[in-house]
Amino acid sequence: MKKTMIAMSGGVDSSVAALLTKQAGDECIGVTMKLYHNEEVGIEGQKTCCSLDDVEDARAVCRRLGMRFYVFNFTDCFKETVIDRFVDAYRHGRTPNPCIDCNCYLKFGKLIQRMRELQMDYVATGHYARVEYDRLSGRYLLKKGIDELKDQSYVLYMLTQEQLAHIRFPLGALTKDEVRRIAGENGFVNAGKRDSQDICFVSDGDYVKVIEAVTGEVSRPGEFVDRTGKVLGRHEGIIHYTIGQRRGLRLAAGERMYVTDISPEDNRVVLGKNEDLFQSELTADQVNLIACDRLEKPVRVTAKIRYRHREQPATAWQTAEGRLHVRFDEPQRAVTKGQAVVLYDGDSVVGGGMICGTGL
């Protein structure tokens, strides 16, 4: 009998993942991660991800399934590897995806470490993705979830072969509607619970408040400039802006202007027209490949530059230094530093990296 640790957030997805793993015959325990203290990120009261209600919902499901339940305190690790990285990215003109860091360092970093310490075999989560072993290549493959609207393979591109060997995604072959139906049929208290839409430690989408709470500093105003360096007005601080942004500029320019670049070195935000946002090429570092060890030659792929971005045909290759370079068939709007580019071959993730520049 295999022993599996179920990462449980208190939501319907991880609860059904626990049920299916238990039904498959595994010996299971449920675990919830305590990730942050509300006051550290400027949140008053309870917040969805780490609230007492969520812990109790997870505990109730485990009780119903006859599983042991534990809460692991990972607040120090989360602060260092997710919140601090999130803050640092915005302060340096990048737009991060903290869910990727959380998956990398917490869900499939700390939890797999704890899995080994408890002499268990697998970590299971409620992600909509699939893991398959390819005998021909001798590699574990990460594949999209069957439900196209819920597929989460994009935020899992950083998983290593060692991690994939110890991960289970019980929901990968299900749709969200099927998951809710299973939860209802089994009397789970969270069967109708709404999905969390926000970054867990960001209250009401106000990430600036989080950055200022963590740093103890108020963002420093600076200049809006055009591509030639002409001053157009004053901005509220670079952490307020991201590439492609139009709303909230508070600038009477006489025409629609968009953020096309952010320069932390001189505290400037560059504005331009919509057509200035399109790029045909990008470079990425922090590369992780799943389907192979290295891209030895240019390969045809589809690529996503944001979680909700539609995959686009492209050619990708690695530089001598190991960076990814991606050339799209058609220019893409708002290629943004700090976001991930993820490469696909059909429904398999080839790999990905963190966007660090555009052009060669």
Side-chain angles (χ1 to χ4, degrees), residues 83-341:
I83 295 178
D84 287 351
R85 288 168 63 91
F86 175 86
V87 170
D88 183 71
Y90 271 108
R91 296 179 79 188
H92 287 85
R94 304 188 300 271
T95 303
N97 186 327
C99 294
I100 291 175
D101 283 338
C102 185
N103 286 333
C104 179
Y105 296 106
L106 277 298
K107 289 189 178 78
F108 305 107
K110 293 290 286 185
L111 276 190
I112 286 183
Q113 177 185 335
R114 192 61 58 90
M115 173 203 79
R116 293 193 177 98
E117 292 170 355
L118 295 176
Q119 298 183 321
M120 304 194 78
D121 303 299
Y122 295 98
V123 167
T125 74
H127 285 95
Y128 288 81
R130 295 173 291 153
V131 178
E132 295 182 5
Y133 182 72
D134 179 50
R135 295 186 181 279
L136 187 62
S137 65
R139 299 183 72 88
Y140 289 91
L141 303 180
L142 174 64
K143 297 199 167 187
K144 298 176 185 176
I146 295 299
D147 189 334
E148 293 183 4
L149 295 178
K150 296 298 294 183
D151 169 52
Q152 292 171 294
S153 59
Y154 173 87
V155 295
L156 298 168
Y157 83 89
M158 83 305 298
L159 293 175
T160 66
Q161 288 295 301
E162 173 64 21
Q163 290 170 333
L164 288 166
H166 295 280
I167 292 171
R168 288 182 170 175
F169 296 130
L171 308 188
L174 298 175
T175 66
K176 183 71 179 196
D177 288 343
E178 289 173 325
V179 168
R180 289 204 182 276
R181 176 182 55 79
I182 292 170
E185 290 173 351
N186 285 271
F188 287 173
V189 295
N190 53 15
K193 191 173 184 177
R194 190 175 70 173
D195 291 343
S196 176
Q197 299 297 324
D198 297 330
I199 298 169
C200 67
F201 59 90
V202 176
S203 178
D204 301 321
D206 191 357
Y207 67 87
V208 172
K209 181 179 179 181
V210 173
I211 296 171
E212 292 180 343
V214 171
T215 62
E217 302 173 357
V218 176
S219 55
R220 184 165 56 94
E223 295 174 336
F224 281 127
V225 298
D226 65 15
R227 299 178 71 184
T228 68
K230 178 183 176 181
V231 177
L232 303 175
R234 299 284 291 175
H235 66 69
E236 298 178 8
I238 63 171
I239 64 173
H240 290 262
Y241 308 98
T242 188
I243 303 300
Q245 180 176 335
R246 177 175 71 85
R247 298 179 186 275
L249 300 182
R250 301 177 183 177
L251 185 71
E255 60 180 329
R256 287 188 174 183
M257 302 292 284
Y258 300 81
V259 175
T260 61
D261 197 11
I262 299 171
S263 179
E265 294 81 10
D266 53 16
N267 195 30
R268 285 182 159 188
V269 175
V270 182
L271 303 181
K273 299 179 180 179
N274 185 60
E275 53 263 36
D276 297 329
L277 288 168
F278 288 82
Q279 301 284 347
S280 295
E281 302 183 6
L282 65 80
T283 302
D285 55 16
Q286 302 178 49
V287 175
N288 182 66
L289 297 177
I290 293 176
C292 57
D293 286 325
R294 181 178 172 83
L295 298 181
E296 298 294 350
K297 59 183 180 180
V299 296
R300 290 292 294 168
V301 295
T302 56
K304 293 178 68 168
I305 58 172
R306 285 179 290 279
Y307 180 52
R308 294 298 182 189
H309 181 247
R310 186 183 297 275
E311 291 170 45
Q312 297 295 319
T315 300
W317 65 93
Q318 274 187 282
T319 66
E321 298 77 24
R323 289 185 171 187
L324 275 182
H325 195 82
V326 181
R327 178 179 293 144
F328 292 96
D329 291 5
E330 300 289 340
Q332 300 301 301
R333 187 180 185 277
V335 177
T336 304
K337 295 177 184 178
Q339 292 286 292
V341 58

Side-chain angles (χ1 to χ4, degrees), residues 19-87:
L19 170 69
L20 297 177
T21 306
K22 181 82 171 178
Q23 289 179 339
D26 285 18
E27 178 184 332
C28 301
I29 65 169
V31 302
T32 294
M33 298 182 294
K34 173 66 176 175
L35 299 179
Y36 60 88
H37 301 292
N38 290 342
E39 60 273 15
E40 290 182 352
V41 291
I43 295 175
E44 297 180 1
Q46 297 293 336
K47 184 68 174 78
T48 301
C49 181
C50 293
S51 74
L52 181 61
D53 287 345
D54 289 318
V55 173
E56 290 308 308
D57 285 348
R59 192 190 309 275
V61 169
C62 285
R63 187 182 300 116
R64 190 175 188 88
L65 296 176
M67 292 166 42
R68 289 173 293 155
F69 176 73
Y70 301 92
V71 177
F72 294 155
N73 187 344
F74 290 152
T75 54
D76 289 345
C77 180
F78 190 77
K79 172 71 164 55
E80 178 182 350
T81 61
V82 180
I83 295 178
D84 287 351
R85 288 168 63 91
F86 175 86
V87 170

